[in-house]
């Protein structure tokens, strides 16, 4: 009996312990830029996401007046007649549209307009909300009244409100700016922002409104800043770079719709917004200055893209016509790092409160130009030649496939993107090992395991596309990341994509961090990114290589300041894997720590199971030789002092 049971146990745990012998000496330093974040406004990552503004369609930007669609997110209260009009006296030239509101005769009680926010509005007791709008009466009269600004549940129960006097004495625009202090938190995020007049007192009046705004407290209290819970989650990864402003969303469907830095800076009244590439209007409230301040707040450097002459709809600007776009890129870079004494773009930056240059080492020339490689040959050439002459210290990143086509000047940086299956990621952890070691370096700028179905990587969830990262996808990515760490002599940066996703309006799945109007849901892949980023070394230590076609992957680094050896292990299958580590150091601590993320193959953190899989810490026995068992579907970070 006993004999049989033991044989059965031996069969049930078939894995033979792998022995990993660690080298005594480092092979290369690890770049401080290795782990960071790729951002673009997709799935309301920016508007309705990281950017804290709570009102959707706040300024009627880029909509067609006199259409129902122009009223997106706005609703009439108590019979008010609403339409978006091209105002004869717009609040600014950048914001030509206004909301025209007419109070019909015969109404009593509050009559006005509500905004549903970005799929809800969180109302929290103790928070101060700043609400503002501009109004004008198109016809001057002796009318005097008041307007009530508030927050209410979608059932119409008031959560907080305040009233301010208004007058029709002039037809000029007047700013109303109030604060709201709710004393109770709303039970859900199904709430509305409301602006109303008294129906009886204002009977027959017509009022125009422009650029409404509602801000909760922001991250680090930055005016026009970031949503605290999302910003805090992103900061907890300690990213060292932030790729901005996209992604496809840089490009525009047409040349005119491209992202233009100068349309995103200065007062909100001077930002026209644009039709983004992901199916909704971008307010550009989250503009270049906001991005740069955000980079400083998180102590990360921008990897900033410039538009390089290609629109996603398929238009390439002819070589002879590139000059104004090259100049716009020069101005954009000068806004970030130029001298206010010699550059008007830099002087604009100084006038916005940042006379000192920001940090900028990397500029990406376009995005995914493997979609237009034939024109990238001249676009890359002309942009990079002109920009290098202006900015000799900046590293320019090419976005075509590596070495295809051959570009001149020869790129010293490439941005490489891959969306694949978990198995592909595990089996490509040696992707960069065979790359020639020369002056060309790589940015793994977008990667994610997104489907189990290799023949349908961009298919629907029914074909295997993940809605949220799973432990299977996250361990695949972690396996790949051990390869990025090993190859960090040539891979200088890497970022999962997409970063953020509003679950009520996804354009793409899976994503690193999901959220809704009330909460943030960090995925299993987020915890992988965080484990790698918070447990960096400054030197890579070679060790016995994993089997490229195997299922268990590791990398070993050293943090010299603390004399710690940090071992990252990804087990990409459902069988626990014993490993024996052999360390050649004179002194090795007898205990270390293990941070372990593990869960079932299909386990995901979702709005209904937000904390299903989170890293757990424990103390483990260590020594010059020690064993560790990597649980099924796990990512482990082992840390011990050894020298
Ligand atoms: C409030 O928001 C809900 C959506 O959450 C919407 O259906 C409703 O029309 C809105 N009401 C007002 C007055 O804005
Ligand atoms: C409203 O006042 C707040 C607090 O003074 C300020 O931060 C904000 O910029 C003002 N809003 C507008 C639109 O002027
Ligand atoms: C931005 O600058 C370009 C020229 O580079 C100009 O054509 C465009 O009108 C400007 N946009 C805004 C909103 O100022
Ligand atoms: C590095 O090697 C690759 C592959 O051989 C080559 O295509 C590329 O031009 C080289 N880079 C430099 C800067 O020489
Ligand atoms: C994988 O994707 C292909 C191509 O879309 C599809 O035909 C096939 O049914 C999918 N397989 C599974 C198991 O979903
Ligand atoms: C686990 O350990 C890491 C590294 O020491 C630490 O940063 C983290 O806060 C710990 N987590 C918990 C839940 O204790």
């Amino acid at each position: 009996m006993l004999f049989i049971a033991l044989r059965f146990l031996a069969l049930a745990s078939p894995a033979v312990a792998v022995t990993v012998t660690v080298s005594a000496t480092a092979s290369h330093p690890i770049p401080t830029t290795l782990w960071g974040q790729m951002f673009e406004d997709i799935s309301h990552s920016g508007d309705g996401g990281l950017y804290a503004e709570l009102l959707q369609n706040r300024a009627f930007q880029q909509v067609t007046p006199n259409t129902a669609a122009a009223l997106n997110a706005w609703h009439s209260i108590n019979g008010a007649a609403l339409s978006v009009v091209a105002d004869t006296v717009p609040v600014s030239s950048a914001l030509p549209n206004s909301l025209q509101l007419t109070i019909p005769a015969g109404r009593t009680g509050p009559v006005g307009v509500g905004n549903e926010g970005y799929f809800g509005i969180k109302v929290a007791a103790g928070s101060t909300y700043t609400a503002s709008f501009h109004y004008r009466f198109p016809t001057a009269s002796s009318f005097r009244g008041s307007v009530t600004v508030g927050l209410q549940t979608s059932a119409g129960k008031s959560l907080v409100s305040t009233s301010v006097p208004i007058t029709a004495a002039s037809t000029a625009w007047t700013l109303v700016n109030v604060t709201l202090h709710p004393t109770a938190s709303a039970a859900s995020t199904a709430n509305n922002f409301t602006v109303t007049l008294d129906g009886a007192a204002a009977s027959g009046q017509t009022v125009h409104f422009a650029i409404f705004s509602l801000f909760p407290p922001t991250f680090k209290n930055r005016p026009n800043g970031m949503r605290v819970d999302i910003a805090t989650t992103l900061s907890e990864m300690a990213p060292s770079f932030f790729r901005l402003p996209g992604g496809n969303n840089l490009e525009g469907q047409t040349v005119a719709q491209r992202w233009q830095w100068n349309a995103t800076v200065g007062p909100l009244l001077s930002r026209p917004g644009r039709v983004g590439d992901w199916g909704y209007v971008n307010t550009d409230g989250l503009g270049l200055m906001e991005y740069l301040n955000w980079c400083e707040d998180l102590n990360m450097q921008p990897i900033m893209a410039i538009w390089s002459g290609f629109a996603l709809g398929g238009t390439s600007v002819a070589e002879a016509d590139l000059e104004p776009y090259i100049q716009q890129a020069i101005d954009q870079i000068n806004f970030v790092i130029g001298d206010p004494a010699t550059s008007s773009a830099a002087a604009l930056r100084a006038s916005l409160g940042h006379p000192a240059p920001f940090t900028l080492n990397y500029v990406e020339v376009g995005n995914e130009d493997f979609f237009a490689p034939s024109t990238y040959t001249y676009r890359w050439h002309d942009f990079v030649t002109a920009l290098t002459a202006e900015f000799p210290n900046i590293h320019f990143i090419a976005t075509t496939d590596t070495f295809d086509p051959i570009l001149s000047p020869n790129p010293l940086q490439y941005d490489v993107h891959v969306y694949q299956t978990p198995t592909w990621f595990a089996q490509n952890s040696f992707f960069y090992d065979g790359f020639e070691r020369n002056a060309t370096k790589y940015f793994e700028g977008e990667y994610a395991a997104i489907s189990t179905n290799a023949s349908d990587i961009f298919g629907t969830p029914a074909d295997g596309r993940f809605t949220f990262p799973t432990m299977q996808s996250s361990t695949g990515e972690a396996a790949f990341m051990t390869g990025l760490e090993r190859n960090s002599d040539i891979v200088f940066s890497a970022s999962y994509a997409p970063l953020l996703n509003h679950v009520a309006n996804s354009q793409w799945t899976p994503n690193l961090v999901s959220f809704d109007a009330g909460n943030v849901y960090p995925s299993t892949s987020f915890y992988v990114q965080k484990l790698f980023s918070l447990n960096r070394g400054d030197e890579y230590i070679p060790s016995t290589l994993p089997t490229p076609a195997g299922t268990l992957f590791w990398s070993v680094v050293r943090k010299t300041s603390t004399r710690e050896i940090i071992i990252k292990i990804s087990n990409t299958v459902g069988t626990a894997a014993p490993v024996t580590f052999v360390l050649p150091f004179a002194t090795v601590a007898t205990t270390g720590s293990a941070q372990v993320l593990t869960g079932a193959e299909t386990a995901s953190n979702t709005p209904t199971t937000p904390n299903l899989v989170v890293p757990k810490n424990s103390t483990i026995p260590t020594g010059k030789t020690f064993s560790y068992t990597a649980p099924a579907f796990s990512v482990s970070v082992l840390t011990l002092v050894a020298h």
Side-chain angles (χ1 to χ4, degrees), residues 306-356:
I306 49 130
W307 191 80
S308 70
F310 176 71
L312 209 50
T315 307
S316 290
V317 175
E319 184 166 21
D321 300 331
L322 282 180
E323 197 285 327
Y325 305 100
I326 294 172
Q327 185 58 48
Q328 194 171 25
I330 290 172
D331 295 343
Q332 179 184 335
I333 298 172
N334 268 325
F335 180 82
V336 184
I337 59 168
D339 178 354
T342 55
S343 153
S344 59
L348 174 58
R349 179 194 73 233
S351 77
L352 297 174
H354 204 289

Side-chain angles (χ1 to χ4, degrees), residues 453 455-456 462-464:
N453 186 343
S455 60
D456 191 15
D463 284 336

Side-chain angles (χ1 to χ4, degrees), residues 52-330:
E53 170 69 61
L54 291 168
L55 303 184
Q56 187 174 183
N57 192 19
R58 68 178 175 192
F60 315 99
Q61 291 161 289
Q62 304 296 328
V63 298
T64 306
N66 307 306
T67 62
L71 284 165
N72 176 37
W74 293 94
H75 304 277
S76 168
I77 296 174
N78 198 6
L82 302 179
S83 69
V84 173
V85 296
D87 207 309
T88 52
V89 184
V91 70
S92 68
S93 58
L95 301 178
N97 299 329
S98 307
L99 177 70
Q100 179 175 284
L101 183 153
T102 299
I103 289 105
R107 297 280 161 174
T108 57
V111 179
V113 65
N115 186 284
E116 65 187 41
Y118 286 99
F119 321 100
I121 296 175
K122 181 180 179 178
V123 179
S127 290
T128 296
Y129 293 78
T130 304
S132 63
F133 56 84
H134 293 73
Y135 78 89
R136 75 179 193 96
F137 283 78
T139 308
S141 74
S142 60
F143 174 76
R144 301 281 184 281
S146 67
V147 64
T148 301
V149 182
L151 292 162
Q152 64 181 39
T153 68
S154 55
K157 178 178 174 288
S158 176
L159 296 161
V160 63
S161 73
T162 187
S163 291
V164 286
I166 57 168
T167 163
S170 123
T171 58
W173 287 102
T174 303
L175 171 68
V176 170
N177 189 358
V178 299
T179 54
L180 300 170
H181 307 268
T183 53
S185 296
S188 82
T189 57
N191 306 308
N192 302 105
F193 169 76
T194 59
V195 175
T196 56
L197 287 83
D198 180 74
S203 175
Q205 294 294 327
T206 292
V207 194
H208 285 195
F209 293 96
I211 189 165
F212 292 88
S213 177
L214 178 68
F215 263 89
T218 59
F219 187 69
K220 298 203 174 185
N221 294 314
R222 286 262 187 205
N224 199 42
M226 308 303 186
R227 183 174 137 175
V228 172
D229 55 354
I230 295 176
T232 301
T233 300
L234 296 186
S235 74
E236 284 168 355
M237 193 192 124
S240 52
F241 68 86
F242 196 71
R243 181 171 162 221
L244 64 92
N248 294 130
N249 200 40
L250 167 77
E251 297 171 81
Q253 286 299 326
T254 64
V255 173
Q257 289 173 344
R258 72 194 186 280
W259 183 88
Q260 300 185 57
W261 75 274
N262 54 306
T264 77
V265 298
L268 296 180
L269 279 168
S270 66
R271 302 188 199 183
R274 58 180 278 267
V275 178
D277 286 279
W278 291 103
Y280 54 93
V281 172
N282 291 187
T283 67
D284 285 337
L286 177 51
L288 183 52
M289 193 71 185
E290 286 77 19
Y291 284 128
L292 295 168
N293 284 330
W294 166 243
C295 287
E296 286 202 340
D297 283 349
L298 263 59
N299 192 28
M300 54 190 178
Q301 56 177 287
I303 294 183
M304 181 178 78
I306 49 130
W307 191 80
S308 70
F310 176 71
L312 209 50
T315 307
S316 290
V317 175
E319 184 166 21
D321 300 331
L322 282 180
E323 197 285 327
Y325 305 100
I326 294 172
Q327 185 58 48
Q328 194 171 25
I330 290 172

